[in-house]
Structure formats: structure tokens, C-alpha cells
């Protein structure tokens, strides 16, 4: 369903999500799967082609998709890259990642969007295409959006304005976010790289490595395969001054690529070419009352490392379960839980912005001494275990963690990513997370805390463990203890979840 048959424009829905890119689609699918009414509002027509910029899906994002039962479907659409070779140096193996997905998946963004759209619709989300938000008004109870939309199915020039009221709104509408502007929030930062060329091409002489990337004194280029005969190319030249709207020629792309890589790999038959500039920006607050910002609406940075779409999807995974817990009345402290979205994700956005900025600046150095230092740094990174692990953990998302809840005693695993732990009955943790609820793991024989809206599992009997672990719906540890008794476990669960009310018995 892609129209508002079930949610009429004037009906109050639980959440309105603005922007049907990957971030908005994942968020809408999560919320609808949690039993909430969700309307997703997208400015583009439903039939519009969507040859978009993102192409890399990292390990942590695949883990989150695995927790939704769709990771393997996405993996089948692309090509795995299990090693990286920064600046022509020694290869870094991604097989060292302690994940079910120790690779980078290369697949067009539209494949990710198709999968997430299918899931969102199957869980009951309503998607309203060809609708543009033109105003926002919020009070203590709800948010109302003014929406301009086509007057009829033929999408004639006549437009009409309707209103959509929701208990909460999420702006996932990109770098030019209408929601962010309506809130009056600044988007401080700067343009980092101008006149960068982006294209999908065929190659007669593909690179030996799956991924070719290098920067010379004057140029930078990246060539990466989608696995279906098409190659995504990103290229930049120091002397480029063209505006984003200026056309791109294949000869220009070939020349820049030859300057950076020494060859253009026989580029031909481009299906899509564009020019863009790269900004580094981040909104100071991810929450304003009942409105939240996620993805490029909240942060934007250089394409180095392929981190943009992944960071947005992880924003969505963090926010969706918190909104669901609050709207279902399961949170002991709703405002604190909603505030934790900004507290946890804003530092991650800042870290990604800095990391991607450092990568692009390193790639584009022209001074010989700095280029020599870059080569030395790449060699040290390849040989140093701790440095390599930190770098791969950041890029893959596996190493991202959150501060433990206030008052948590250290040392603690709270706030860290939970690995895909084996559970009793041959189940994996990320399969157990597909319910969308908290997962409690205890030794066999321990009782489930009464009334708690969670999924309770035990350690495998052949691998006895004394620890108890409570895992959040987004795959991060909420609480753990090596030897907690039943009362301590129940107390830890109660700090995150209110018991579900017992069903009332019918009077005779």
C-alpha cells in the first residue's frame, strides 16, 4: 500500500516520518512492526528513478538488518569486499571483524531502499509519495504537518494542501531538510570538496583489486564494482571549478581517473553521471520537543569511507525502539529515554564527520612530505594490530558504543554492541532480536521477570555460563552481570521496562 487508504490525512497517527530514503524507510518499518500507526511522507513521485550516491553497506548495518530478517536478501544483491587497500598500501583484511558479516557489501542504494520499502509496507506503514511538507506546528500533545500534494491520480499541476497530525514526527528528509528548517535549527559546517564527479560506468579493463582507490598530487578517484557489470566511480581534480549543475562528460571523468589511478580502466557507456559538492555539517540538537532528526537531516559529511547511509540507518535503529517503548507506555522514564537518542547518536555523528573528513583530506594532500607521511601512516596501520582494529571498528560500525546509563558501576559492558551470541535451541541473538523487543539471556532455569515485555532466552546447555545479559532492541547491551540472582535481574529489567498490565478478568 502506497497511499493513505488506512490513515486518512487528517487522522492522528502515532508517528509521521518525512523522507523515504533508507533512514526513513527503516524507521517506518520498525515502528509499524511494533504495532504503531505510521505515515511516511516523501516528496518524490513513486515512479521516480533513484540512482543514488550510497553504495557501501558495512558490517554493523548488516547486523541490524539481520535483526530484521533481511540482511541475507540484501547481501544477495551485491558484491562482498573483504579487504581494503588505503592509498595503494598494504591490504587490510576485513575478515578480522568479529561479525557474521566480515566484509563491506557493495550494492546500489536503490537495492537497499527497495528491500526496506517492501518491509515497511508489509508491516503496515503507509507511504504517501508526491507529498511535500510545507509547514510544521507542534504543541505538548502532537505535531501537525502542512502537506502539499497532487490533487488527483494524474498528478496534474493543480495542488492541494492537507494536514497530517502525529504524536511524534521524524525528519529523515536529507541535507536540505524541510523539517530541520521548520524547526529553525542551524546546520553549521562548511563545504569540504567542490565539483566532485559521480558516475556509474562499464569497464573494459577492471582493476585487479575489487576496489581501486588512490589520490595523486592533483586528483583522487575511487572505482568499485556493484557485481553486475557496473562500476561506481567517484573522481575529483584539484583544479575543478564547475558548479554542481554543470554537465559532466565521460572524457572529463576518464582524465581525472587517469591522473589519480594511472588508468581509466577503459570506462565506457555511463548510465548516470552527476556532479556534487561535499559538506561537513551537523545539527546541534537531534530532538526538538516531539520532533526528531535522523540521517542526512541531522549530519552530512564527505563520502570517504561510505559512512553516510550506514550512520543514518543506525540512527533509525536507535530511535525506533525508543519511540515504540514510549508510545506503548513501556518506559519508566519516557522523556529521559527520548533524550537519550540525541545523547547517544550526536557524538557518533560527530565522530563519523571527523573521521570521514580526515580521510578525504588525507586522500587529497599535494605536498610531497605529507604524501610520504600518508604512505607511512598506511603502512603502520596495516602492521599495528590495535590501530588496525580501531580503524576497522570505526568504519564498519562494529566498534561504535554508547556511554553506559548514569549510575552504572564500572567496569561494565552496558552500551557496547552485543555480538551475535549463541542461544539455547540453536538460535542466534540477532534472530531473537527479530521480535523487536528486549532480549534477556540467563542461565537455564532462571524465571522470566513477571509481566516484562521482553523475549527471554537461555545460554546453550553445552556451554554453561553464569552471566545474565539484557540486550536492547538495537543490539546494544542494556545491562549485564556475571552472577545476578533473580531479584537483581528483575530490578535491572524494571529499570528499562514497565511491566505489562495484567489482563482484567471478566465479571461474572
Amino acid at each position: 500500500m502506497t497511499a493513505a487508504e488506512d490513515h486518512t490525512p487528517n487522522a492522528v497517527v502515532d508517528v509521521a516520518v518525512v523522507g523515504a530514503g533508507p533512514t526513513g524507510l527503516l524507521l517506518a518499518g520498525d515502528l509499524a512492526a511494533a504495532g504503531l500507526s505510521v505515515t511516511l511522507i516523501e516528496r518524490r513521485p513513486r515512479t521516480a528513478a533513484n540512482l543514488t550516491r550510497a553504495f557501501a553497506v558495512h558490517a554493523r548495518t548488516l547486523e541490524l538488518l539481520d535483526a530484521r530478517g533481511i540482511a541475507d536478501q540484501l547481501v544477495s544483491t551485491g558484491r562482498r569486499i573483504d579487504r581494503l587497500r588505503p592509498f595503494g598500501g598494504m591490504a587490510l583484511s576485513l575478515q578480522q571483524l568479529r561479525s557474521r558479516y566480515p566484509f563491506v557489501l557493495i550494492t546500489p542504494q536503490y537495492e537497499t531502499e527497495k528491500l526496506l520499502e517492501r518491509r515497511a509496507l508489509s508491516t503496515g506503514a503507509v507511504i504517501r509519495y508526491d507529498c511535500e511538507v510545507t509547514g510544521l506546528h507542534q504543541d505538548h500533545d502532537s505535531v501537525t504537518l502542512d502537506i502539499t500534494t497532487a490533487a488527483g491520480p494524474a498528478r496534474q499541476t493543480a495542488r492541494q494542501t492537507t494536514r497530517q497530525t502525529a504524536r511524534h514526527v521524524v525528519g529523515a528528509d536529507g541535507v536540505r531538510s524541510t523539517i530541520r528548517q521548520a524547526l529553525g535549527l542551524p546546520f553549521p559546517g562548511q563545504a569540504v570538496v567542490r565539483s566532485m564527479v559521480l558516475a556509474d560506468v562499464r569497464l573494459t579493463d577492471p582493476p585487479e583489486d575489487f576496489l581501486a582507490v588512490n589520490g595523486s598530487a592533483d586528483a583522487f578517484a575511487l572505482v568499485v564494482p556493484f557485481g553486475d557489470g557496473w562500476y561506481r566511480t567517484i573522481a575529483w581534480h584539484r583544479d575543478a571549478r564547475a558548479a554542481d549543475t554543470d554537465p559532466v562528460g565521460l572524457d572529463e571523468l576518464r582524465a581525472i581517473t587517469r591522473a589519480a589511478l594511472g588508468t581509466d580502466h577503459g570506462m565506457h557507456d555511463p548510465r548516470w553521471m552527476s556532479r556534487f559538492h561535499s559538506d561537513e555539517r551537523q545539527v546541534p540538537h537531534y530532538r526538538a520537543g516531539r520532533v526528531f532528526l535522523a540521517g542526512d537531516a541531522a549530519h552530512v559529511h564527505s563520502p570517504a569511507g561510505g559512512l553516510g547511509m550506514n550512520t543514518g540507518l543506525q540512527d533509525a535503529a536507535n530511535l525506533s525502539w525508543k519511540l515504540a517503548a514510549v508510545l506503548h507506555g513501556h518506559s519508566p522514564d519516557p522523556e529521559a529515554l527520548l533524550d537519550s537518542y540525541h545523547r547517544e547518536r550526536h557524538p557518533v555523528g560527530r565522530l563519523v564527520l571527523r573521521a570521514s573528513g580526515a580521510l578525504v583530506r588525507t586522500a587529497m594532500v599535494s605536498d610531497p612530505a605529507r604524501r610520504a607521511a600518508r604512505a607511512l601512516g598506511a603502512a603502520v596501520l596495516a602492521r599495528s594490530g590495535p590501530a588496525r582494529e580501531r580503524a576497522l571498528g570505526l568504519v564498519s560500525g562494529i566498534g561504535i558504543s554508547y556511554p553506559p546509563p548514569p549510575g552504572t558501576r564500572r567496569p561494565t559492558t552496558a552500551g557496547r554492541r552485543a555480538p551475535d551470541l549463541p542461544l539455547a535451541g540453536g538460535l542466534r541473538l540477532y534472530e531473537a532480536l527479530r521480535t523487536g523487543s528486549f532480549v534477556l539471556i540467563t542461565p537455564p532455569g532462571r524465571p522470566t521477570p513477571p509481566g516484562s515485555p521482553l523475549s527471554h532466552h537461555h545460554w546453550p546447555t553445552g556451554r554453561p555460563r553464569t552471566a545474565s545479559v539484557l540486550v536492547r532492541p538495537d543490539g546494544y547491551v542494556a545491562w549485564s552481570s556475571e552472577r545476578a540472582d533473580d531479584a537483581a535481574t528483575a530490578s535491572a529489567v524494571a529499570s528499562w521496562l514497565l511491566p505489562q498490565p495484567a489482563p482484567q478478568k471478566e465479571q461474572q
Side-chain angles (χ1 to χ4, degrees):
M1 186 185 305
T2 57
E5 290 90 353
D6 281 359
H7 305 167
T8 58
N10 293 323
V12 178
V13 297
D14 290 316
V15 183
V17 180
V18 182
T23 300
L25 288 166
L26 180 68
L27 188 66
D30 282 1
L31 294 168
L36 299 172
S37 56
V38 184
T39 294
L40 183 55
I41 301 162
E42 170 55 48
R43 181 170 56 185
R44 291 180 290 111
R46 175 67 181 88
T47 56
N50 196 22
L51 292 172
T52 45
R53 298 175 183 173
F55 56 85
V57 185
H58 288 292
R60 183 55 182 161
T61 301
L62 288 170
E63 290 182 343
L64 295 175
L65 296 179
D66 184 27
R68 290 151 179 82
I70 56 176
D72 292 344
Q73 297 175 59
L74 186 63
V75 170
S76 69
T77 69
R79 187 167 186 173
R80 308 179 189 192
I81 292 180
D82 60 9
R83 66 183 184 271
L84 303 176
R85 193 182 299 275
F87 312 119
M90 295 177 61
L92 300 178
S93 174
L94 297 174
Q95 294 296 310
Q96 302 171 44
L97 291 173
R98 298 173 185 176
S99 171
R100 184 179 175 86
Y101 305 97
F103 52 84
V104 178
L105 176 68
I106 304 301
T107 189
Q109 181 176 322
Y110 57 76
E111 294 287 359
T112 304
E113 291 190 356
K114 284 194 296 187
L115 189 63
L116 292 174
E117 180 191 64
R118 192 181 311 130
R119 173 178 178 260
L121 293 172
S122 69
T123 56
V126 170
I127 306 179
R128 298 180 60 193
Y129 284 99
D130 202 23
C131 293
E132 184 173 1
V133 174
T134 55
L136 180 152
H137 320 275
Q138 69 169 313
D139 55 32
H140 293 298
D141 300 316
S142 63
V143 186
T144 299
L145 300 175
D146 297 327
I147 301 172
T148 301
T149 185
R155 289 195 177 89
Q156 301 168 349
T157 56
R159 309 283 285 183
Q160 65 181 9
T161 298
T162 60
R163 286 192 162 184
Q164 176 66 69
T165 301
R167 296 170 69 185
H168 292 281
V169 165
V170 181
D173 49 342
V175 62
R176 297 179 179 84
S177 171
T178 299
I179 299 300
R180 187 187 63 243
Q181 294 174 24
L183 292 171
L185 291 174
F187 204 35
Q190 61 183 344
V192 181
V193 182
R194 299 186 182 278
S195 197
M196 188 171 284
V197 176
L198 197 66
D200 288 351
V201 297
R202 300 280 192 183
L203 302 180
T204 57
D205 182 25
E208 292 183 5
D209 278 349
F210 287 153
L211 183 149
V213 58
N214 196 30
S216 68
D218 297 314
F220 168 83
L222 178 148
V223 178
V224 61
F226 284 131
D228 59 356
W230 291 101
Y231 288 77
R232 169 60 52 84
T233 302
I234 302 176
W236 169 86
H237 197 280
R238 194 173 303 280
D239 295 334
R241 296 292 183 269
D244 289 357
T245 54
D246 289 350
V248 181
L250 184 59
D251 288 343
E252 177 188 0
L253 178 61
R254 286 171 171 163
I256 299 174
T257 306
R258 285 195 298 269
L261 302 180
T263 175
D264 63 16
H265 295 289
M267 292 180 182
H268 61 92
D269 294 333
R271 66 175 174 181
W272 176 61
M273 303 182 74
S274 181
R275 198 186 304 274
F276 72 102
H277 70 276
S278 175
D279 282 358
E280 288 180 356
R281 301 183 185 277
Q282 186 180 28
V283 71
H285 303 288
Y286 283 15
R287 181 189 182 191
R290 290 182 167 269
V291 183
F292 302 83
L293 296 174
D296 286 354
H299 47 77
V300 64
H301 38 79
S302 85
L307 303 176
M309 181 182 71
N310 292 270
T311 306
L313 288 170
Q314 292 160 33
D315 288 345
N318 183 286
L319 178 58
S320 62
W321 72 266
K322 295 175 179 178
L323 281 170
V326 169
L327 288 168
H328 282 311
H330 292 164
S331 174
D333 192 341
E335 288 303 307
L337 185 62
L338 294 178
D339 282 342
S340 73
Y341 168 64
H342 169 86
R343 187 177 68 250
E344 292 181 345
R345 292 305 299 172
H346 190 274
V348 174
R350 184 172 63 246
L351 177 64
V352 169
L353 188 149
R354 291 174 177 174
S356 61
L359 282 172
V360 76
R361 288 173 175 83
T362 301
M364 296 175 178
V365 295
S366 57
D367 179 78
R370 292 183 179 180
R371 291 176 60 77
R374 183 184 72 183
L376 178 61
V380 170
L381 181 64
R383 291 185 173 90
S384 171
R388 182 175 62 245
E389 186 173 343
R390 285 194 297 272
L392 293 179
L394 171 60
V395 173
S396 67
I398 296 298
I400 297 293
S401 61
Y402 302 133
T408 302
R409 293 184 178 180
R410 296 178 183 271
T412 180
T413 59
R416 297 182 186 177
R417 158 193 165 268
D420 196 11
L421 301 165
L423 306 176
L427 198 67
R428 297 183 290 111
L429 170 61
Y430 282 77
E431 291 174 321
L433 286 169
R434 292 174 186 174
T435 62
S437 62
F438 277 72
V439 173
L440 176 64
I441 313 169
T442 66
R446 290 291 180 84
T448 302
S452 299
L454 53 73
S455 178
H456 186 190
H457 296 268
H458 300 294
W459 301 114
T461 54
R463 302 175 63 180
R465 297 182 63 174
T466 60
S468 294
V469 181
L470 182 65
V471 182
R472 302 176 356 174
D474 58 356
Y476 287 85
V477 176
W479 166 85
S480 67
S481 175
E482 280 301 316
R483 294 183 180 276
D485 58 24
D486 295 343
T489 301
S491 176
V493 170
S495 70
W496 285 93
L497 293 166
L498 289 174
Q500 292 177 319
Q504 295 182 353
K505 295 182 179 180
E506 294 184 4
Q507 294 183 352
Q508 298 295 328

